[in-house]
Structure formats: structure tokens, C-alpha cells
């Protein structure tokens, strides 16, 4: 489980989500920018040992879009 500050930042990043526990399931409507913001946020948390991201392409974002957002 991540720290309270990380939980608060995730809640702000994914408004309206009730299931922001570990593992974090962000659903299919997450934007590439949200992926790009969540990964370093989780990686910086002292309670997190590893971040494993699995992306399933959907109409909301392609794998290329997510990869591009993560690389910037």
C-alpha cells in the first residue's frame, strides 16, 4: 500500500475512481498523460518496491500513445 500523499495524488489524478488500491486498476478510459503521471508518482513512493504497468489497447489510447507519453 502506498503512502497517504501518494493516495491523495492518485485520487486527484483519477477523479471519481473508488478503487485506487493496490493493484491500481485504472480502467480503459485513462489517457496517456494520466499513465505518464501515475508511473513516476508510484515509483517515487517509499512504500512501493516496483511498478509494473500493463496496457491493453482501447479506443481511448493506443500503446504508441502511452509509450510516447511515458518517454517524455
Amino acid at each position: 500500500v502506498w503512502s497517504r500523499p501518494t493516495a491523495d495524488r492518485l485520487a486527484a489524478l483519477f477523479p471519481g475512481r473508488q478503487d485506487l488500491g493496490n493493484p491500481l486498476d485504472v480502467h480503459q478510459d485513462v489517457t496517456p498523460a494520466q499513465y505518464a503521471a501515475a508511473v513516476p508518482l508510484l515509483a517515487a513512493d517509499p512504500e512501493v518496491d516496483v511498478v509494473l504497468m500493463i496496457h491493453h489497447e482501447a479506443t481511448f489510447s493506443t500503446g504508441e500513445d502511452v509509450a510516447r507519453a511515458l518517454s517524455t
Side-chain angles (χ1 to χ4, degrees):
V1 178
W2 31 79
S3 66
R4 171 57 36 199
T6 297
D8 292 343
R9 289 183 188 112
L10 287 171
L13 184 60
F14 303 110
R17 300 268 190 229
Q18 299 299 316
D19 54 345
L20 294 175
N22 187 359
L24 177 62
D25 183 354
V26 294
H27 305 281
Q28 67 179 359
D29 61 342
V30 172
T31 66
Q34 287 172 304
Y35 277 110
V39 170
L41 178 75
L42 292 168
D45 189 297
E47 300 297 321
V48 174
D49 294 323
V50 66
V51 176
L52 172 65
M53 188 188 101
I54 300 171
H55 175 264
H56 182 277
E57 262 188 56
T59 57
F60 295 97
S61 62
T62 67
E64 290 86 8
D65 293 338
V66 172
R68 196 174 302 110
L70 287 166
S71 68
T72 60

